[in-house]
mmCIF file of all heavy atoms in Angstrom:
data_model
loop_
_atom_site.group_PDB
_atom_site.id
_atom_site.type_symbol
_atom_site.label_atom_id
_atom_site.label_comp_id
_atom_site.label_asym_id
_atom_site.label_seq_id
_atom_site.Cartn_x
_atom_site.Cartn_y
_atom_site.Cartn_z
ATOM 1 N N ALA V 1298 -9.326 -3.519 -9.528
ATOM 2 C CA ALA V 1298 -9.810 -2.684 -8.381
ATOM 3 C C ALA V 1298 -9.495 -3.300 -7.045
ATOM 4 O O ALA V 1298 -9.197 -2.643 -6.099
ATOM 5 C CB ALA V 1298 -11.366 -2.506 -8.542
ATOM 6 N N SER V 1299 -9.518 -4.671 -7.067
ATOM 7 C CA SER V 1299 -9.209 -5.372 -5.777
ATOM 8 C C SER V 1299 -7.787 -5.073 -5.286
ATOM 9 O O SER V 1299 -7.479 -4.880 -4.149
ATOM 10 C CB SER V 1299 -9.463 -6.826 -5.879
ATOM 11 O OG SER V 1299 -9.092 -7.457 -4.814
ATOM 12 N N SER V 1300 -6.856 -5.109 -6.262
ATOM 13 C CA SER V 1300 -5.392 -4.820 -5.908
ATOM 14 C C SER V 1300 -5.211 -3.427 -5.455
ATOM 15 O O SER V 1300 -4.439 -3.121 -4.556
ATOM 16 C CB SER V 1300 -4.567 -5.161 -7.038
ATOM 17 O OG SER V 1300 -4.812 -4.333 -8.227
ATOM 18 N N LYS V 1301 -5.935 -2.448 -6.089
ATOM 19 C CA LYS V 1301 -5.874 -0.990 -5.687
ATOM 20 C C LYS V 1301 -6.432 -0.792 -4.226
ATOM 21 O O LYS V 1301 -5.839 -0.105 -3.534
ATOM 22 C CB LYS V 1301 -6.488 -0.142 -6.667
ATOM 23 C CG LYS V 1301 -5.750 -0.008 -7.996
ATOM 24 C CD LYS V 1301 -6.273 1.107 -8.833
ATOM 25 C CE LYS V 1301 -5.499 1.064 -10.183
ATOM 26 N NZ LYS V 1301 -4.670 2.206 -10.369
ATOM 27 N N LEU V 1302 -7.533 -1.410 -3.997
ATOM 28 C CA LEU V 1302 -8.117 -1.309 -2.657
ATOM 29 C C LEU V 1302 -7.215 -2.016 -1.634
ATOM 30 O O LEU V 1302 -7.141 -1.422 -0.541
ATOM 31 C CB LEU V 1302 -9.498 -2.004 -2.638
ATOM 32 C CG LEU V 1302 -10.633 -1.203 -3.362
ATOM 33 C CD1 LEU V 1302 -11.927 -2.041 -3.347
ATOM 34 C CD2 LEU V 1302 -10.830 0.116 -2.702
ATOM 35 N N GLN V 1303 -6.608 -3.142 -1.949
ATOM 36 C CA GLN V 1303 -5.747 -3.810 -1.140
ATOM 37 C C GLN V 1303 -4.442 -2.926 -0.828
ATOM 38 O O GLN V 1303 -4.052 -2.798 0.333
ATOM 39 C CB GLN V 1303 -5.240 -5.157 -1.697
ATOM 40 C CG GLN V 1303 -4.454 -5.980 -0.711
ATOM 41 C CD GLN V 1303 -5.321 -6.554 0.384
ATOM 42 O OE1 GLN V 1303 -6.551 -6.721 0.321
ATOM 43 N NE2 GLN V 1303 -4.696 -6.781 1.498
ATOM 44 N N ALA V 1304 -4.003 -2.252 -1.848
ATOM 45 C CA ALA V 1304 -2.806 -1.377 -1.643
ATOM 46 C C ALA V 1304 -3.191 -0.191 -0.772
ATOM 47 O O ALA V 1304 -2.452 0.220 0.105
ATOM 48 C CB ALA V 1304 -2.308 -0.858 -3.067
ATOM 49 N N LEU V 1305 -4.416 0.424 -0.958
ATOM 50 C CA LEU V 1305 -4.882 1.465 -0.109
ATOM 51 C C LEU V 1305 -5.051 0.989 1.334
ATOM 52 O O LEU V 1305 -4.567 1.725 2.315
ATOM 53 C CB LEU V 1305 -6.200 2.053 -0.672
ATOM 54 C CG LEU V 1305 -6.878 3.045 0.295
ATOM 55 C CD1 LEU V 1305 -6.080 4.342 0.394
ATOM 56 C CD2 LEU V 1305 -8.271 3.359 -0.123
ATOM 57 N N TRP V 1306 -5.582 -0.116 1.520
ATOM 58 C CA TRP V 1306 -5.842 -0.719 2.867
ATOM 59 C C TRP V 1306 -4.567 -0.939 3.587
ATOM 60 O O TRP V 1306 -4.408 -0.660 4.765
ATOM 61 C CB TRP V 1306 -6.612 -1.979 2.783
ATOM 62 C CG TRP V 1306 -7.043 -2.532 4.112
ATOM 63 C CD1 TRP V 1306 -6.417 -3.631 4.714
ATOM 64 C CD2 TRP V 1306 -7.961 -2.096 4.986
ATOM 65 N NE1 TRP V 1306 -6.995 -3.840 5.877
ATOM 66 C CE2 TRP V 1306 -7.987 -2.910 6.094
ATOM 67 C CE3 TRP V 1306 -8.900 -1.076 4.900
ATOM 68 C CZ2 TRP V 1306 -8.832 -2.815 7.101
ATOM 69 C CZ3 TRP V 1306 -9.794 -0.918 5.969
ATOM 70 C CH2 TRP V 1306 -9.759 -1.744 7.069
ATOM 71 N N ASN V 1307 -3.537 -1.313 2.860
ATOM 72 C CA ASN V 1307 -2.217 -1.665 3.567
ATOM 73 C C ASN V 1307 -1.238 -0.511 3.471
ATOM 74 O O ASN V 1307 -0.071 -0.670 4.000
ATOM 75 C CB ASN V 1307 -1.629 -2.899 2.881
ATOM 76 C CG ASN V 1307 -2.381 -4.129 3.225
ATOM 77 O OD1 ASN V 1307 -2.877 -4.262 4.270
ATOM 78 N ND2 ASN V 1307 -2.564 -4.970 2.286
ATOM 79 N N HIS V 1308 -1.625 0.597 2.989
ATOM 80 C CA HIS V 1308 -0.632 1.772 2.810
ATOM 81 C C HIS V 1308 -0.335 2.314 4.291
ATOM 82 O O HIS V 1308 -1.187 2.191 5.170
ATOM 83 C CB HIS V 1308 -1.358 2.903 2.101
ATOM 84 C CG HIS V 1308 -0.488 3.963 1.617
ATOM 85 N ND1 HIS V 1308 -0.148 5.037 2.413
ATOM 86 C CD2 HIS V 1308 0.339 4.123 0.444
ATOM 87 C CE1 HIS V 1308 0.749 5.746 1.778
ATOM 88 N NE2 HIS V 1308 1.026 5.238 0.569
ATOM 89 N N PRO V 1309 0.897 2.859 4.497
ATOM 90 C CA PRO V 1309 1.269 3.363 5.863
ATOM 91 C C PRO V 1309 0.330 4.400 6.298
ATOM 92 O O PRO V 1309 0.289 4.689 7.513
ATOM 93 C CB PRO V 1309 2.655 3.852 5.621
ATOM 94 C CG PRO V 1309 3.193 3.154 4.370
ATOM 95 C CD PRO V 1309 1.980 2.855 3.547
ATOM 96 N N VAL V 1310 -0.343 5.139 5.467
ATOM 97 C CA VAL V 1310 -1.295 6.131 5.949
ATOM 98 C C VAL V 1310 -2.733 5.803 5.481
ATOM 99 O O VAL V 1310 -3.559 6.675 5.247
ATOM 100 C CB VAL V 1310 -0.944 7.581 5.477
ATOM 101 C CG1 VAL V 1310 0.300 8.041 6.128
ATOM 102 C CG2 VAL V 1310 -0.836 7.695 3.966
ATOM 103 N N GLY V 1311 -2.972 4.452 5.406
ATOM 104 C CA GLY V 1311 -4.286 3.969 4.998
ATOM 105 C C GLY V 1311 -5.314 3.929 6.112
ATOM 106 O O GLY V 1311 -4.978 4.247 7.233
ATOM 107 N N PRO V 1312 -6.508 3.433 5.827
ATOM 108 C CA PRO V 1312 -7.523 3.467 6.795
ATOM 109 C C PRO V 1312 -7.408 2.591 8.032
ATOM 110 O O PRO V 1312 -8.109 2.693 9.040
ATOM 111 C CB PRO V 1312 -8.780 2.918 6.026
ATOM 112 C CG PRO V 1312 -8.380 2.998 4.588
ATOM 113 C CD PRO V 1312 -6.933 2.957 4.572
ATOM 114 N N LYS V 1313 -6.310 1.781 8.042
ATOM 115 C CA LYS V 1313 -6.037 0.991 9.245
ATOM 116 C C LYS V 1313 -5.204 1.798 10.286
ATOM 117 O O LYS V 1313 -4.924 1.253 11.377
ATOM 118 C CB LYS V 1313 -5.247 -0.307 8.934
ATOM 119 C CG LYS V 1313 -6.014 -1.287 8.091
ATOM 120 C CD LYS V 1313 -5.360 -2.725 8.043
ATOM 121 C CE LYS V 1313 -3.896 -2.594 7.553
ATOM 122 N NZ LYS V 1313 -3.382 -3.945 7.306
ATOM 123 N N THR V 1314 -4.894 3.014 9.985
ATOM 124 C CA THR V 1314 -3.938 3.725 10.902
ATOM 125 C C THR V 1314 -4.658 5.080 11.304
ATOM 126 O O THR V 1314 -5.514 5.586 10.693
ATOM 127 C CB THR V 1314 -2.732 4.164 10.114
ATOM 128 O OG1 THR V 1314 -2.972 5.087 9.125
ATOM 129 C CG2 THR V 1314 -1.937 2.928 9.549
ATOM 130 N N ILE V 1315 -4.117 5.590 12.372
ATOM 131 C CA ILE V 1315 -4.568 6.933 12.847
ATOM 132 C C ILE V 1315 -4.162 8.010 11.914
ATOM 133 O O ILE V 1315 -4.773 9.103 11.829
ATOM 134 C CB ILE V 1315 -3.946 7.208 14.295
ATOM 135 C CG1 ILE V 1315 -4.637 8.410 14.890
ATOM 136 C CG2 ILE V 1315 -2.454 7.419 14.153
ATOM 137 C CD1 ILE V 1315 -6.042 8.306 15.323
ATOM 138 N N HIS V 1316 -3.136 7.723 11.121
ATOM 139 C CA HIS V 1316 -2.629 8.775 10.108
ATOM 140 C C HIS V 1316 -3.686 8.998 8.980
ATOM 141 O O HIS V 1316 -3.698 10.024 8.295
ATOM 142 C CB HIS V 1316 -1.300 8.326 9.499
ATOM 143 C CG HIS V 1316 -0.314 7.964 10.507
ATOM 144 N ND1 HIS V 1316 0.252 9.015 11.351
ATOM 145 C CD2 HIS V 1316 0.304 6.887 10.852
ATOM 146 C CE1 HIS V 1316 1.152 8.464 12.064
ATOM 147 N NE2 HIS V 1316 1.189 7.191 11.816
ATOM 148 N N PHE V 1317 -4.674 8.143 8.843
ATOM 149 C CA PHE V 1317 -5.816 8.404 8.031
ATOM 150 C C PHE V 1317 -6.947 9.067 8.693
ATOM 151 O O PHE V 1317 -7.513 9.998 8.185
ATOM 152 C CB PHE V 1317 -6.286 7.010 7.399
ATOM 153 C CG PHE V 1317 -7.481 7.106 6.544
ATOM 154 C CD1 PHE V 1317 -7.385 7.492 5.220
ATOM 155 C CD2 PHE V 1317 -8.808 6.804 7.083
ATOM 156 C CE1 PHE V 1317 -8.533 7.635 4.420
ATOM 157 C CE2 PHE V 1317 -9.861 6.906 6.246
ATOM 158 C CZ PHE V 1317 -9.737 7.313 5.020
ATOM 159 N N TRP V 1318 -7.322 8.564 9.859
ATOM 160 C CA TRP V 1318 -8.495 9.004 10.523
ATOM 161 C C TRP V 1318 -8.440 10.327 11.141
ATOM 162 O O TRP V 1318 -9.368 11.136 11.183
ATOM 163 C CB TRP V 1318 -8.981 7.884 11.560
ATOM 164 C CG TRP V 1318 -9.408 6.703 10.859
ATOM 165 C CD1 TRP V 1318 -8.784 5.543 10.801
ATOM 166 C CD2 TRP V 1318 -10.579 6.611 10.038
ATOM 167 N NE1 TRP V 1318 -9.465 4.662 9.943
ATOM 168 C CE2 TRP V 1318 -10.671 5.238 9.467
ATOM 169 C CE3 TRP V 1318 -11.719 7.454 9.705
ATOM 170 C CZ2 TRP V 1318 -11.636 4.802 8.643
ATOM 171 C CZ3 TRP V 1318 -12.674 6.995 8.820
ATOM 172 C CH2 TRP V 1318 -12.654 5.728 8.376
ATOM 173 N N ALA V 1319 -7.235 10.703 11.754
ATOM 174 C CA ALA V 1319 -7.058 11.996 12.380
ATOM 175 C C ALA V 1319 -7.358 13.155 11.387
ATOM 176 O O ALA V 1319 -8.171 13.990 11.665
ATOM 177 C CB ALA V 1319 -5.736 12.096 13.025
ATOM 178 N N PRO V 1320 -6.665 13.115 10.191
ATOM 179 C CA PRO V 1320 -6.993 14.261 9.261
ATOM 180 C C PRO V 1320 -8.380 14.194 8.751
ATOM 181 O O PRO V 1320 -8.919 15.209 8.452
ATOM 182 C CB PRO V 1320 -5.919 14.084 8.173
ATOM 183 C CG PRO V 1320 -5.220 12.878 8.400
ATOM 184 C CD PRO V 1320 -5.529 12.394 9.800
ATOM 185 N N THR V 1321 -8.891 12.979 8.590
ATOM 186 C CA THR V 1321 -10.306 12.880 8.086
ATOM 187 C C THR V 1321 -11.258 13.565 8.958
ATOM 188 O O THR V 1321 -12.167 14.293 8.579
ATOM 189 C CB THR V 1321 -10.617 11.401 7.920
ATOM 190 O OG1 THR V 1321 -9.683 10.807 6.921
ATOM 191 C CG2 THR V 1321 -12.098 11.240 7.377
ATOM 192 N N PHE V 1322 -11.118 13.354 10.309
ATOM 193 C CA PHE V 1322 -11.953 14.003 11.273
ATOM 194 C C PHE V 1322 -11.653 15.503 11.409
ATOM 195 O O PHE V 1322 -12.580 16.329 11.830
ATOM 196 C CB PHE V 1322 -12.016 13.281 12.588
ATOM 197 C CG PHE V 1322 -12.817 12.015 12.566
ATOM 198 C CD1 PHE V 1322 -12.235 10.794 12.547
ATOM 199 C CD2 PHE V 1322 -14.181 12.121 12.591
ATOM 200 C CE1 PHE V 1322 -13.004 9.657 12.454
ATOM 201 C CE2 PHE V 1322 -14.926 10.984 12.579
ATOM 202 C CZ PHE V 1322 -14.363 9.670 12.490
ATOM 203 N N LYS V 1323 -10.483 15.852 11.163
ATOM 204 C CA LYS V 1323 -10.040 17.289 11.252
ATOM 205 C C LYS V 1323 -10.776 18.128 10.167
ATOM 206 O O LYS V 1323 -10.900 19.319 10.345
ATOM 207 C CB LYS V 1323 -8.494 17.345 11.057
ATOM 208 C CG LYS V 1323 -7.869 18.655 11.468
ATOM 209 C CD LYS V 1323 -6.371 18.484 11.439
ATOM 210 C CE LYS V 1323 -5.717 19.785 11.950
ATOM 211 N NZ LYS V 1323 -4.227 19.721 11.835
ATOM 212 N N TRP V 1324 -11.255 17.415 9.132
ATOM 213 C CA TRP V 1324 -11.949 18.176 8.149
ATOM 214 C C TRP V 1324 -13.229 18.888 8.687
ATOM 215 O O TRP V 1324 -13.695 19.851 8.221
ATOM 216 C CB TRP V 1324 -12.419 17.326 6.993
ATOM 217 C CG TRP V 1324 -11.338 17.094 6.003
ATOM 218 C CD1 TRP V 1324 -10.545 16.075 5.757
ATOM 219 C CD2 TRP V 1324 -11.006 18.013 4.974
ATOM 220 N NE1 TRP V 1324 -9.694 16.232 4.758
ATOM 221 C CE2 TRP V 1324 -9.883 17.491 4.211
ATOM 222 C CE3 TRP V 1324 -11.395 19.316 4.628
ATOM 223 C CZ2 TRP V 1324 -9.385 18.143 3.161
ATOM 224 C CZ3 TRP V 1324 -10.804 20.039 3.618
ATOM 225 C CH2 TRP V 1324 -9.768 19.429 2.865
ATOM 226 N N GLY V 1325 -13.743 18.334 9.891
ATOM 227 C CA GLY V 1325 -14.854 18.883 10.528
ATOM 228 C C GLY V 1325 -14.562 20.353 10.978
ATOM 229 O O GLY V 1325 -15.532 21.181 10.956
ATOM 230 N N ILE V 1326 -13.357 20.673 11.384
ATOM 231 C CA ILE V 1326 -13.027 22.000 11.776
ATOM 232 C C ILE V 1326 -13.077 22.920 10.612
ATOM 233 O O ILE V 1326 -13.664 24.056 10.702
ATOM 234 C CB ILE V 1326 -11.614 22.101 12.375
ATOM 235 C CG1 ILE V 1326 -11.530 21.175 13.660
ATOM 236 C CG2 ILE V 1326 -11.157 23.547 12.739
ATOM 237 C CD1 ILE V 1326 -10.078 20.955 14.159
ATOM 238 N N SER V 1327 -12.574 22.510 9.467
ATOM 239 C CA SER V 1327 -12.654 23.388 8.267
ATOM 240 C C SER V 1327 -14.120 23.548 7.798
ATOM 241 O O SER V 1327 -14.514 24.648 7.356
ATOM 242 C CB SER V 1327 -11.863 22.773 7.141
ATOM 243 O OG SER V 1327 -10.432 22.830 7.457
#
């Protein structure tokens, strides 16, 4: 599980980037 979380964290559209957070907050419109 730790390696999968590390992979998610370091992914180019992971939680460290705007590419994750912008669509996440866009769900509010839907």
Side-chain angles (χ1 to χ4, degrees):
S1299 176
S1300 64
K1301 288 191 184 249
L1302 287 175
Q1303 189 69 27
L1305 172 67
W1306 184 255
N1307 292 322
H1308 194 273
V1310 291
K1313 292 194 305 186
T1314 68
I1315 190 68
H1316 305 295
F1317 174 83
W1318 292 106
T1321 300
F1322 283 103
K1323 196 174 183 180
W1324 276 104
I1326 297 169
S1327 292

